[in-house]
Amino acid sequence: MHRTYSMRTSRLPTASQVENPPPPLSSTKTNRWLGKGGFGHAFRKNAAGAFGPDLARKLSQLVKMEKNVMRSMEMVARERMETAQQLSIWGENCDEDVSDVTDKLGVLLYEIGELEDMYVDRYDQYRVTIKSIRNIEASVQPSRDRKQKITDEIAKLKYKDPNSPRIVVLEQELVRAEAESLVAEAQLSNITREKLKSAFQYQFDALREHSEKVAVIAGYGKHLLDLIDDNPVTPGETRHAYDGYDASKAIIQDCEEALTNWVSSKAVVKSSLSTRSRTLSQRHRDNVAKRTEGVDLSEQDQPLQGDRDSWVPADQHPSYEDGDGASTIDVETRGREEEREPVGA
């Protein structure tokens, strides 16, 4: 800012940036050939789902809509910084306490605008990762189309010329097309899950950092408000001289230190699951792990106990039946139960 102190004077990397280096500049901040207005927003949203492979159209529309969200956040960040400067400019002609506090509040609001601008860059990581899923979907579409085309040709030939030799050739091509499609579909399934988790990890990590830092700024902003003497005065009465310059500067420095030293491991807000949610989630993870490991069949076929001398001939086995079909064990234990006479017979 333009007066006493501003945390924008030093731009050393924060602890969070050292732990998690900032991403490159957002792609939405460059190549704005459609402009910044509503026309570009509407065109991107409506045109995204009208072109490209059918499989990728819905995700294409999501990617373009997310670009609109990022452009809106950029505008909010820019206007936030402009209003912060205007607040400080307005306060110059006010009383000393109001002038000093509004200047420092402008510093904090300007910092929020800077955080929102950096949040856009991290948000773009999420959008680009989602975009990679769309690209995989688009690459899978041709294999689906080829398999469907061959299937349609076979059905048409069987209807017009059931004895055509081309049916055999097409069926062989269909087998190869189905094999290629299976590989492509499996890759799509695997990559979709991997990229989806990565994408929202980027978004939620960025949102968590941004929200916690904004909360920190809001807390120090309320401390600044305590420096304003809002006790009413009677006409002609003079307020006491303002002596809070050092205090306001110290509050801004404390805020800067808190933002500089913030890391995700020291986040104040923690999301804790209920016992039921934790149990169900753990049960699901255990089931997934079991399906991944497979079924252990090693205990089903146990080797013979002892050496080969423990083998017993069939005619010496307790349940051995002789040639007449009679068992050597007690017949009463294996025979049928005698039919009971009906009641009242």
Side-chain angles (χ1 to χ4, degrees):
M1 300 297 290
H2 63 281
R3 278 188 286 163
T4 313
Y5 177 81
S6 172
M7 62 177 71
R8 311 309 327 160
T9 56
S10 60
R11 300 300 296 173
L12 295 176
T14 64
S16 177
Q17 291 174 335
V18 173
E19 181 182 69
N20 185 18
L25 195 67
S26 167
S27 59
T28 60
K29 297 179 181 178
T30 56
N31 302 325
R32 295 185 175 180
W33 60 278
L34 288 176
K36 304 177 182 179
F39 171 74
H41 279 224
F43 179 81
R44 279 188 296 270
K45 180 179 178 181
N46 296 329
F51 306 101
D54 294 338
L55 182 60
R57 285 185 180 179
K58 292 182 179 179
L59 201 53
S60 294
Q61 192 164 9
L62 174 62
V63 170
K64 296 302 181 183
M65 292 172 69
E66 290 289 9
K67 177 173 283 190
N68 289 346
V69 171
M70 293 172 60
R71 292 281 172 85
S72 300
M73 289 191 293
E74 286 180 46
M75 185 177 296
V76 170
R78 183 170 59 254
E79 293 184 351
R80 176 96 65 186
M81 290 184 277
E82 292 175 356
T83 56
Q85 292 173 334
Q86 189 63 30
L87 174 64
S88 184
I89 291 172
W90 166 77
E92 286 182 347
N93 298 324
C94 297
D95 294 338
E96 289 185 350
D97 55 348
V98 175
S99 178
D100 181 50
V101 170
T102 53
D103 181 49
K104 301 303 187 296
L105 290 175
V107 171
L108 296 184
L109 295 178
Y110 195 93
E111 178 68 16
I112 293 178
E114 288 280 346
L115 290 176
E116 288 172 338
D117 189 66
M118 290 186 286
Y119 174 62
V120 172
D121 295 334
R122 293 199 179 277
Y123 195 91
D124 193 43
Q125 289 183 293
Y126 148 76
R127 193 187 70 89
V128 170
T129 308
I130 289 291
K131 190 175 179 180
S132 66
I133 302 177
R134 182 206 64 183
N135 297 338
I136 295 296
E137 286 184 344
S139 67
V140 170
Q141 186 68 50
S143 66
R144 287 189 178 184
D145 294 342
R146 181 168 177 266
K147 185 176 69 172
Q148 186 61 44
K149 182 180 178 181
I150 297 174
T151 303
D152 294 342
E153 289 183 7
I154 293 174
K156 190 180 299 182
L157 276 176
K158 285 184 177 180
Y159 177 75
K160 292 184 177 181
D161 186 8
N163 298 322
S164 174
R166 181 164 170 73
I167 295 178
V168 178
V169 177
L170 289 175
E171 288 178 343
Q172 293 175 350
E173 291 184 6
L174 180 60
V175 171
R176 290 192 293 268
E178 288 178 342
E180 294 175 0
S181 180
L182 282 176
V183 174
E185 296 289 349
Q187 291 178 342
L188 174 61
S189 178
N190 295 335
I191 293 176
T192 297
R193 285 160 172 75
E194 176 189 353
K195 295 295 184 181
L196 183 66
K197 293 181 71 172
S198 299
F200 279 94
Q201 286 282 2
Y202 287 134
Q203 181 178 152
F204 291 143
D205 287 345
L207 184 61
R208 184 183 191 183
E209 178 177 352
H210 176 72
S211 301
E212 290 240 355
K213 288 185 175 180
V214 170
V216 169
I217 293 174
Y220 284 100
K222 296 185 70 174
H223 287 304
L224 283 174
L225 296 178
D226 293 336
L227 300 179
I228 296 179
D229 181 10
D230 59 348
N231 293 317
V233 295
T234 58
E237 183 181 358
T238 303
R239 292 188 182 275
H240 295 289
Y242 178 66
D243 60 353
Y245 289 106
D246 292 337
S248 65
K249 182 177 180 180
I251 290 174
I252 294 294
Q253 290 173 333
D254 290 345
C255 182
E256 179 183 14
E257 183 177 357
L259 294 176
T260 301
N261 296 328
W262 186 94
V263 289
S264 59
S265 59
K266 297 181 181 179
V268 176
V269 179
K270 303 290 185 181
S271 55
S272 57
L273 296 176
S274 64
T275 303
R276 178 174 180 272
S277 298
R278 190 164 51 250
T279 302
L280 293 175
S281 299
Q282 185 61 45
R283 183 185 303 169
H284 171 72
R285 289 193 293 269
D286 292 343
N287 291 336
V288 172
K290 288 179 181 178
R291 289 195 296 267
T292 303
E293 295 173 359
V295 180
D296 186 9
L297 302 178
S298 60
E299 300 295 331
Q300 289 192 356
D301 296 325
Q302 293 292 338
L304 291 173
Q305 299 296 328
D307 53 10
R308 293 181 60 87
D309 296 335
S310 63
W311 176 77
V312 179
D315 57 356
Q316 298 180 14
H317 198 272
S319 60
Y320 173 73
E321 295 182 355
D322 57 19
D324 297 334
S327 175
T328 57
I329 63 175
D330 189 359
V331 178
E332 293 182 358
T333 62
R334 294 187 57 187
R336 299 177 182 176
E337 294 183 359
E338 297 182 359
E339 295 181 0
R340 299 180 179 179
E341 295 182 357
V343 179

